[in-house]
Amino acid sequence: MVSAATPIGTDIDQSRPNVARMYDYYLGGCHNFAPDRAAAEQVLSIFPDTPVAAQTNRHFLRRAVRHLATERGVRQFLDIGAGLPTQGNVHEIVRECVPGSRVVYVDVDPVAVAYARQLLAGAPDTTVLRADVRRPDELLADSEVNRLIDFSEPVAVLLVAVLHFVRDAEDPWASVARLRDATVPGSPLVLSHLTLDGAPPVPAQAGKAVYQQSSAPLVPRTHADISRFFDGYDQIEPGLVWWGDWRPERSPDGGRQSGVSHGYGGVGLRR
């Protein structure tokens, strides 16, 4: 089943770069248009390792979800800003770990939602809806969310690579707090966020300028500002760290597989 939490509209703008489709291009996907690819190539000319960093972020998501399903007993996942379908989606990971777990995918982009609905056709205990993280009350009131998610039990809220597209003036911290307050103690928050900490200032500004022409201007934040999203949560070790440093897997030779990180990621449990 599918749902739309808000009447955002159905037109798909193919003339303007879209951040979800640019991310799909970085990951090697095919659900993108020429303006998306052109903008993504501009970013790649500034930061050539962006595709590797995008994969590192996806690997962080998979490790976090696997940890919550296998080590913390979480059976409900609300993936907000899920983006375009790619390999290793949340429902695939939890299905491997604990069959019967429930997953709700949320995104504001119509292309992401359309392809996710195709992917999820017939998938049990999984649904997708179009909604906006900036309007959490509408999202939480949606009938499909409440059909699959029991808010009297722990539910993992996933906010992976989405909040850096929400301006400070739109108060993303308040949105996260509202989502937190809708969950019971012990509910996890999985969050990853782009940063420019340590980045050379000139290339950093050039990269931000590309996104100014896209569907959502980029708002990288510092470690301190990203940490504020975890107010009311106890962070799981190792805390808020570079994406590749959050419980990295071991390579066959015993070394750590950390990858390239352009941001911070962490997992917290609601107090």
Side-chain angles (χ1 to χ4, degrees):
M1 298 178 67
V2 296
S3 176
T6 54
I8 303 173
T10 57
D11 292 338
I12 296 174
D13 184 359
Q14 300 184 27
S15 64
R16 188 182 189 188
N18 177 278
V19 295
R21 300 194 296 261
M22 289 171 66
Y23 190 66
D24 175 67
Y25 182 74
Y26 299 145
L27 291 169
C30 59
H31 305 315
N32 47 73
F33 304 118
D36 310 314
R37 295 188 287 273
E41 286 294 338
Q42 285 184 270
V43 174
L44 293 175
S45 70
I46 303 165
F47 294 107
D49 59 359
T50 296
V52 180
Q55 290 288 355
T56 303
N57 181 61
R58 290 296 300 181
H59 291 319
F60 158 73
L61 167 64
R62 293 165 192 160
R63 294 195 304 275
V65 167
R66 191 172 291 110
H67 170 80
L68 294 176
T70 60
E71 303 297 327
R72 303 282 174 172
V74 179
R75 300 293 179 264
Q76 304 184 106
F77 296 82
L78 182 58
D79 188 356
I80 304 172
L84 287 152
T86 186
Q87 292 183 344
N89 290 293
V90 172
H91 74 283
E92 295 170 328
I93 297 168
V94 299
R95 187 181 298 160
E96 292 174 2
C97 298
V98 186
S101 297
R102 300 184 295 280
V103 178
V104 175
Y105 291 107
V106 180
D107 206 279
V108 72
D109 178 61
V111 173
V113 171
Y115 280 112
R117 287 173 175 173
Q118 291 181 15
L119 175 74
L120 298 173
D125 300 316
T126 306
T127 192
V128 57
L129 61 98
R130 192 176 178 199
D132 194 328
V133 68
R134 295 167 296 185
R135 303 205 287 268
D137 286 326
E138 294 179 28
L139 191 162
L140 292 166
D142 185 80
S143 60
E144 277 295 277
V145 172
N146 289 280
R147 181 180 70 85
L148 280 184
I149 301 297
D150 179 0
F151 285 97
S152 69
E153 299 290 336
V155 52
V157 175
L158 314 181
L159 293 166
V160 175
V162 62
L163 293 175
H164 50 237
F165 295 115
V166 182
R167 298 178 178 89
D168 285 358
E170 296 168 314
D171 200 353
W173 296 277
S175 293
V176 175
R178 177 68 187 91
L179 293 166
R180 178 200 65 210
D181 292 346
T183 63
V184 298
S187 293
L189 170 67
V190 178
L191 185 145
S192 76
H193 197 295
L194 193 71
T195 188
L196 291 179
D197 288 356
V202 173
Q205 292 305 313
K208 287 180 65 176
V210 175
Y211 278 93
Q212 289 292 330
Q213 308 304 315
S214 74
S215 60
L218 196 60
V219 189
R221 293 187 172 93
T222 65
H223 188 278
D225 282 338
I226 299 169
S227 294
R228 290 173 53 200
F229 290 116
F230 285 97
D231 287 353
Y233 290 90
D234 293 317
Q235 291 191 45
I236 296 173
E237 288 295 330
L240 184 65
V241 295
W242 296 107
W243 296 331
D245 291 337
W246 198 89
R247 301 184 174 229
E249 297 171 346
R250 297 287 175 177
S251 61
D253 62 4
R256 296 198 334 165
Q257 295 179 319
S258 58
V260 174
S261 298
H262 287 180
Y264 299 112
V267 180
L269 300 177
R270 191 195 163 188
R271 299 190 191 111

